[in-house]
Amino acid sequence: MSTPVLQALLLADHVYQDRSTGKHVICGVFSELRFIPPSAGGGLPHTPGTPIPVHKTIRAGSPYLYMSFTDVHGQKAFELRYVDLRDNTTLFSTKFQIDCPDPLATVEVSLPLPALPAPHAGVYALELLYDDVLLGSHRVRIVPDTSFGGEQPARREHE
């Protein structure tokens, strides 16, 4: 049995499929988010170390994940995890299946995600697993939002 090959793993503001061409349109690819501390009203309230089921947190403005695979033959099960790399805590996870009769075909998948939890500034990762083996990941850097609370970011010399 062959392992599916991950060709692309992108995080975006929105992904949709054009009805006339079948092409996926990926809008606003990103790997960095601004962080508003929980004490200032940011973050997603939850018990640290307890995964949040992805279907309970999807809402308007949530990002999308675009994936492209090849070497998928038959029905294959995958797991997607959002992990805090500071301590390898899984903040949410979901499982999904892909079914493809032709292993030479390219399979494109778009998944809506919940708003990405940001309990603190740091580096997180969306990890894609097949048979408990990491196929790939997309790192997300959460940085402090210096403009929150009236503070203005420093001006650059050339502005």
Side-chain angles (χ1 to χ4, degrees):
M1 177 162 78
S2 65
T3 300
V5 174
L6 178 67
Q7 295 178 314
L9 182 69
L10 299 171
L11 185 60
D13 293 329
H14 191 74
V15 177
Y16 68 92
Q17 192 170 10
D18 183 80
R19 288 182 186 176
S20 63
T21 65
K23 293 179 182 179
H24 282 79
V25 180
I26 306 164
C27 305
V29 174
F30 65 92
S31 60
E32 182 177 288
L33 291 171
R34 300 289 175 207
F35 168 73
I36 300 172
S39 61
L44 181 66
H46 71 285
T47 304
T50 304
I52 302 168
V54 72
H55 68 277
K56 293 191 176 192
T57 58
I58 294 172
R59 61 181 188 230
S62 292
Y64 286 78
L65 188 67
Y66 169 83
M67 297 169 283
S68 174
F69 299 90
T70 191
D71 289 345
V72 177
H73 189 229
Q75 193 169 42
K76 304 291 184 189
F78 297 87
E79 180 180 6
L80 178 69
R81 298 188 301 211
Y82 181 64
V83 177
D84 182 345
L85 294 181
R86 179 174 72 177
D87 58 8
N88 287 323
T89 302
T90 298
L91 299 177
F92 70 74
S93 66
T94 190
K95 294 182 179 184
F96 62 95
Q97 294 187 357
I98 298 174
D99 190 12
C100 182
D102 180 1
L104 299 178
T106 296
V107 180
E108 296 176 286
V109 177
S110 173
L111 292 178
L113 298 177
L116 300 178
H120 59 84
V123 181
Y124 299 77
L126 282 161
E127 298 179 341
L128 182 67
L129 294 95
Y130 170 75
D131 271 350
D132 295 321
V133 175
L134 184 67
L135 288 183
S137 68
H138 182 93
R139 291 201 176 163
V140 180
R141 183 173 300 277
I142 307 292
V143 297
D145 187 345
T146 58
S147 65
F148 189 80
E151 297 177 27
Q152 296 297 319
R155 286 184 56 90
R156 296 182 185 169
E157 292 293 323
H158 65 279
E159 291 182 346

